[in-house]
Amino acid sequence: MAVTGIVCFLGDPISSTAQFSLAGQLRTRTEVRDGLGTLNAKGTDPAFFTSQRTRLTFGYKWDRLNFNVSVQDIRVWGQDASTINNADGNKLMVHEAWAELTLMNVADTTIKTKGIDNLSLKIGRQALIYDDVRLLGDLDWLQQGRRHDAVLVKAVHHGWQIDLGAGFNQNTDAFGYTGTSYTAGNVPAYVTNSSGVLVGTPAGLMPLAPNGSVSAASNKAGMPVLANAVSTNGMNQQYKSMQMLYVSRKLGQTKFAGLFFKDDFSKYRLDSSGSASGGYVYGRRYDVKGVNSRLTYGLMINGSIGKSSGLKNAWQLGAYFQSGKDRDGKDLNASHYTASLTFQKGRFSFGPGYDYLSGNDANTPATESRRFDPLYGTPHKHWGYMDYYYVGTGSPVGGLQDAYFKVKYQASLFFISLDAHNFRLAENVTNAADPDKINIDKNLGYEFDLIASYSLNRFTALELGYSFMKANNSTEYVKRGTMNEARHNANWAYLMINIRPDFFFGKSAGK
C-alpha cells in the first residue's frame, strides 16, 4: 500500500489526523495509424506519432472532507516549437478539481445528524463514472480524458446507492454580459468564408462548413467548425445544463442499476456575417431562449453464477431509451440494448456479446431522429479499439449492431486479450452511390483487437496493441460517402508506456 502524508491536528476534538497524497503520471503512446477511425484513401501513407500525458494529482482526506486537484499537460511529440507561443493552444489544463463533503456517516459518532448511512456532497470539475462506462465514463483512453463541471449528492443506505447530479454551463462571467445564452463549443479564431477567403470568426457565431473543416468554404448546410471537439461520440454541441439520477442495489450476486440522464441543449438560429462581394460566414447563433431537452433512461443488470474455484459465469443485460428532443430540435425515439456472457476458469476468461444501437432509415421523417447517442461514456472500450463508431469520427446514420467474442488471459504481472467484432447496420441505409441497389449491404465488416500488457514494477506498465479492420464498401460508404475509393484493409498498432509514481510511497510500507 502506498504511504500518504499524515498531518496531526493537536487539540482538535473531532479528528486527530488527516491524510494527503501526491501522485504523478507520465504516459506515452506511440501509434501507427493506417485506417484508424475511418478508411484511408487509396495511395495514402500511414501516420506515425507519439503523444504524451503528464498528470499531477494532489489529494487531501479528512473524516468529513475529501479534496482532489489534478493538473495535466497533453502534447504530441514535436508539435511545439523550441519556445511556446500563444498559438500553441491550451494544452495545460485542470483535469479535475473537486471537493467531497461528508454530511452524514453512521460510523462517525461526532456527526450528530443521522438518518442515512452515508450522505455526501461532491462539487467541482469531476469525472462521472458509472457501471461499465457505456454511457457515463472518464474516457481514460483518450489522453485528455473527460470530465464535467457539476455537483453530486451521493447517498448510500442499507445497500442502496442513490446519486443526484446537476450541471449548468456558461461561457463567461464578464461584466456587462446578460442572460444565459451559451455558445456550445470553442470556435477557431479564423475561418474560411463562402468566397474561400480566410477571415476572423464573427463574434458570437459558430461557423458552418462542409465536414466542419476550417479550410472549407462556409456553407449554410455545413457542420459546426470547432477549435476542438466537445465530445467523442460525434456530437458537435456541448450541453447547456444537465440533471441526472442513478440508483443501484445489489441482491446476492445480482446488481440492478437504473440511470436517468437529462441534458439540455441551447436552441439556435441560422445567421450570416459578411457581404455578397466579399463572401459570407454562415453559422449558428445560440441566442434563442429555451432548450432542447433529451431524456436518456434505462436499466442494467449484472450477475454471476458459480464459485471462484470452478467455472464462473458472469452475465450482463441492459436496455436504454432516449426521448424528448435532440440537440437540433428533432423528436427523439431511440434505443440501445446490450447482452454479454463471460466464462472464467482460473486465469482464462472468454465469452460472446451483442450490442444494438438504433438508427434512422429511409422512412424516418425529417423532423424525427431514431439515432441512439451513447452520451458521455467510453466508446473505445465497447465498439472496437479502432474507434470507427460513436467517437469523434461519427456514427452510422443507420445505427449499429455489434456481435463480438472476447478472450483474455490474466496473470499476476501481465495479460493478453483478443477481441473479435462483426459490425452491421441496425437499419437499412439508402445506397446513393449505386443506382442498381436500393440499400447498401448491412454488413460493415470485421475488426480484431489484440492487446498485451506487462507490469515492469509497481509504478510502470507497458502495453502493446494491434488492431486489424477487414472493411468493405458498406464501411466506406457510411464513413466516407464513397465506394471503391478507399483501402478496405485497415491497421493500427501502438506501444504505450504508463508510469504512475506515488511520491509518498515508502519501500518499507510496500512490503
Side-chain angles (χ1 to χ4, degrees):
M1 181 180 294
V3 174
T4 58
I6 298 178
V7 179
C8 296
F9 295 96
L10 299 178
D12 186 349
I14 298 178
S15 177
S16 58
T17 62
Q19 295 179 320
F20 61 89
S21 61
L22 184 64
Q25 182 186 36
L26 190 150
R27 187 174 83 177
T28 64
R29 185 159 63 232
T30 302
E31 303 181 40
V32 178
R33 292 186 176 181
D34 187 21
L36 178 72
T38 190
L39 298 174
N40 285 347
K42 295 179 180 179
T44 57
D45 295 324
F48 177 79
F49 63 91
T50 297
S51 62
Q52 177 175 317
R53 172 204 285 176
T54 308
R55 182 180 291 177
L56 189 65
T57 302
F58 170 79
Y60 172 85
K61 189 174 184 180
W62 175 58
D63 290 348
R64 303 182 190 177
L65 178 66
N66 193 358
F67 180 83
N68 180 282
V69 174
S70 178
V71 180
Q72 68 181 19
D73 179 81
I74 307 299
R75 306 276 170 176
V76 172
W77 286 8
Q79 77 173 69
D80 299 324
S82 57
T83 58
I84 303 298
N85 61 70
N86 293 334
D88 289 325
N90 184 19
K91 300 293 183 178
L92 181 64
M93 63 178 298
V94 175
H95 172 58
E96 287 189 283
W98 53 263
E100 184 172 359
L101 180 65
T102 300
L103 304 176
M104 296 184 190
N105 186 352
V106 69
D108 190 343
T109 58
T110 66
I111 300 179
K112 304 304 180 183
T113 306
K114 303 297 181 181
I116 298 178
D117 291 349
N118 193 289
L119 179 67
S120 64
L121 175 70
K122 186 176 181 182
I123 187 168
R125 177 163 292 186
Q126 57 191 285
L128 300 178
I129 305 173
Y130 289 93
D131 297 324
D132 64 351
V133 299
R134 180 177 302 270
L135 299 184
L136 293 175
D138 59 349
L139 192 59
D140 189 60
W141 167 259
L142 200 67
Q143 294 286 41
Q144 58 266 39
R146 176 185 280 127
R147 59 268 155 200
H148 300 256
D149 296 327
V151 57
L152 277 179
V153 177
K154 306 168 65 177
V156 176
H157 188 68
H158 293 357
W160 288 88
Q161 177 188 348
I162 302 175
D163 289 6
L164 280 167
F168 187 87
N169 293 327
Q170 199 65 8
N171 294 119
T172 180
D173 60 354
F175 289 108
Y177 187 86
T178 60
T180 58
S181 296
Y182 180 65
T183 302
N186 298 321
V187 301
Y190 297 92
V191 293
T192 305
N193 68 13
S194 59
S195 297
V197 179
L198 192 66
V199 297
T201 301
L205 190 75
M206 181 179 286
L208 300 174
N211 298 320
S213 174
V214 69
S215 60
S218 185
N219 186 292
K220 292 180 181 179
M223 299 294 291
V225 181
L226 300 169
N228 43 53
V230 299
S231 181
T232 58
N233 48 4
M235 287 183 58
N236 55 34
Q237 184 174 335
Q238 171 74 346
Y239 60 73
K240 167 64 179 176
S241 60
M242 72 85 175
Q243 305 87 46
M244 63 162 284
L245 169 65
Y246 176 83
V247 181
S248 71
R249 180 73 160 94
K250 190 171 183 180
L251 299 174
Q253 297 187 74
T254 304
K255 178 184 176 182
F256 298 83
L259 175 68
F260 173 85
F261 195 97
K262 174 174 171 283
D263 41 0
D264 306 310
F265 299 97
S266 297
K267 293 183 177 180
Y268 61 83
R269 61 184 174 90
L270 296 177
D271 196 10
S272 63
S273 177
S275 63
S277 58
Y280 290 97
V281 174
Y282 297 98
R284 300 173 178 176
R285 291 197 185 275
Y286 292 87
D287 55 2
V288 179
K289 289 187 177 182
V291 294
N292 293 314
S293 296
R294 177 177 64 180
L295 309 178
T296 303
Y297 43 92
L299 177 68
M300 177 169 285
I301 308 174
N302 292 278
S304 60
I305 304 173
K307 299 180 179 179
S308 57
S309 58
L311 183 65
K312 186 175 182 180
N313 304 334
W315 54 271
Q316 177 173 283
L317 296 172
Y320 296 95
F321 306 92
Q322 288 180 333
S323 60
K325 301 283 188 178
D326 71 1
R327 61 183 180 272
D328 297 316
K330 294 182 179 181
D331 293 327
L332 187 59
N333 182 17
S335 57
H336 168 40
Y337 306 101
T338 180
S340 66
L341 181 63
T342 302
F343 302 93
Q344 183 175 347
K345 178 68 173 178
R347 299 179 184 273
F348 281 99
S349 62
F350 57 93
Y354 173 79
D355 286 350
Y356 169 90
L357 298 95
S358 65
N360 294 339
D361 59 20
N363 298 319
T364 303
T367 58
E368 295 182 13
S369 175
R370 298 170 187 167
R371 301 175 66 180
F372 188 90
D373 176 19
L375 295 182
Y376 313 100
T378 305
H380 179 84
K381 177 181 178 181
H382 297 285
W383 300 297
Y385 293 158
M386 294 187 75
D387 292 341
Y388 268 55
Y389 306 111
Y390 301 102
V391 293
T393 57
S395 59
V397 173
L400 186 71
Q401 299 180 73
D402 177 18
Y404 59 85
F405 193 90
K406 298 185 178 184
V407 181
K408 185 175 183 179
Y409 178 82
Q410 176 74 63
S412 58
L413 294 178
F414 74 93
F415 76 80
I416 184 168
S417 65
L418 176 64
D419 300 349
H421 297 263
N422 175 218
F423 298 114
R424 296 179 63 86
L425 289 168
E427 306 294 339
N428 285 320
V429 172
T430 303
N431 189 348
D434 187 348
D436 296 329
K437 296 182 179 180
I438 299 176
N439 301 314
I440 65 172
D441 191 332
K442 281 189 172 182
N443 183 25
L444 298 178
Y446 298 85
E447 179 178 331
F448 302 91
D449 303 315
L450 177 66
I451 293 179
S453 179
Y454 177 72
S455 296
L456 285 176
N457 54 50
R458 182 183 180 90
F459 302 125
T460 308
L462 301 179
E463 185 171 299
L464 181 66
Y466 171 73
S467 294
F468 172 73
M469 170 72 77
K470 181 60 178 177
N472 52 37
N473 268 333
S474 294
T475 320
E476 181 180 345
Y477 187 80
V478 300
K479 297 300 297 183
R480 299 172 57 93
T482 63
M483 287 189 174
N484 297 313
E485 295 182 13
R487 291 184 285 114
H488 292 169
N489 293 331
N491 300 272
W492 173 54
Y494 71 90
L495 171 64
M496 186 163 68
I497 304 173
N498 196 0
I499 305 171
R500 302 174 64 98
D502 184 335
F503 296 110
F504 291 115
F505 172 75
K507 196 169 184 180
S508 59
K511 294 179 179 179

